[in-house]
Amino acid sequence: MGTVLKKGARISFWRLAVRPKYIAGLLLALLAASAFAWLGQWQLGRAITKDQPASVIQQVDTVEAMIDQKNVYIVSDRVQNGKTVFWVIANAFDADRQSVTLALGQSESLLTAEAARFSIQNSVQAQAFLPIRGIWLPSEGPQKVDGEKPYLLHSISIAQLLNLYSPNEPIASYPKFFVVEGYADTITPKLGEIDAVLHPAEAINWLSAFYAAEWVLFAGFAVFLWARTVKDAVDAERLN
């Protein structure tokens, strides 16, 4: 038999909450809150766009080109595997005399990159149109050229490079640059392969983020609704 309380007698919140029907209500509220929290986490995952490797975004391609030995440059401040490296890049021409900028290899040492640049510029190998494998990456914004070392760049901007390749007359060019595979170890001194990764800015879908916040509020409201139900029952018991 239940305990008989006098009118106006005080009954605690937790004394009433342990009754079977309110325990069942709490379990139902927690189940609903868990489902809402999972939906919020799922929605939050859709709200943020993360970086993807370039090899996933773009397929490997092949171009036939001949390196322009006069136009070889070094690009600083490139990040690879958490380290800052220098890229060696060069202009090249395809059979239609269209310019294509090639990223040939990388090194952590500027001296090594400069030695590789000198080696490419002074190579005595016969020039020919050769098939080159790699991936295309988008052009970057131009950066100011170092006055002391005009061959040392800080970005790969096709528009800026075309002015360096041919300052007196315009030339046709591909809009992107080409990261070459399997060429770095043919240069003396040998360079490392470029592990090209696109780093687009993280994008936030604010509508999805808003929905995620809503699901979290619903989770909290499920528990609040149970607590409010118990409190109303406590107040009703005290009045009876």
Side-chain angles (χ1 to χ4, degrees):
M1 296 179 62
T3 302
V4 179
L5 298 173
K6 296 180 180 180
K7 184 176 180 180
R10 297 186 63 82
I11 182 173
S12 69
F13 176 92
W14 294 111
R15 185 177 178 182
L16 195 65
V18 296
R19 291 181 181 178
K21 67 176 182 179
Y22 295 117
I23 291 177
L26 176 60
L27 293 176
L28 183 61
L30 292 176
L31 182 63
S34 298
F36 293 149
W38 180 85
L39 288 170
Q41 184 178 14
W42 170 78
Q43 196 75 58
L44 185 62
R46 297 187 60 190
I48 301 176
T49 302
K50 299 181 179 179
D51 294 349
Q52 297 184 46
S55 57
V56 174
I57 299 174
Q58 296 190 352
Q59 299 296 320
V60 175
D61 197 3
T62 301
V63 297
E64 288 196 0
M66 179 172 60
I67 293 179
D68 173 14
Q69 292 177 273
K70 296 183 299 181
N71 287 297
V72 185
Y73 295 86
I74 298 172
V75 186
S76 67
D77 303 321
R78 316 305 290 181
V79 177
Q80 178 161 318
N81 300 324
K83 297 179 180 179
T84 301
V85 298
F86 297 89
W87 285 12
V88 177
I89 67 172
N91 182 39
F93 291 103
D94 64 10
D96 298 323
R97 295 296 298 172
Q98 189 168 3
S99 171
V100 51
T101 296
L102 306 178
L104 302 174
Q106 57 82 19
S107 175
E108 293 182 39
S109 168
L110 176 58
L111 291 177
T112 301
E114 289 175 328
R117 173 178 179 267
F118 180 83
S119 176
I120 295 170
Q121 287 181 315
N122 294 276
S123 173
V124 295
Q125 293 181 353
Q127 292 291 290
F129 292 100
L130 300 175
I132 303 173
R133 284 171 52 84
I135 58 173
W136 295 99
L137 290 184
S139 175
E140 302 168 358
Q143 299 287 336
K144 186 177 179 180
V145 178
D146 192 330
E148 296 182 0
K149 296 182 177 181
Y151 59 83
L152 184 60
L153 309 177
H154 304 291
S155 67
I156 305 180
S157 166
I158 299 300
Q160 184 180 43
L161 286 167
L162 290 178
N163 289 329
L164 297 174
Y165 297 158
S166 180
N168 298 321
E169 59 182 80
I171 56 175
S173 172
Y174 290 87
K176 301 180 180 181
F177 65 93
F178 197 67
V179 179
V180 177
E181 292 182 353
Y183 189 89
D185 59 357
T186 67
I187 303 171
T188 304
K190 291 184 178 181
L191 299 175
E193 289 285 324
I194 294 175
D195 182 15
V197 176
L198 286 178
H199 291 288
E202 283 193 346
I204 298 178
N205 184 324
W206 291 106
L207 182 59
S208 293
F210 174 76
Y211 288 152
E214 276 195 332
W215 286 120
V216 173
L217 289 176
F218 290 158
F221 183 74
V223 178
F224 169 79
L225 185 62
W226 170 82
R228 185 66 190 182
T229 301
V230 176
K231 185 178 184 305
D232 288 345
V234 169
D235 291 341
E237 289 272 358
R238 289 173 179 174
L239 291 174
N240 292 332

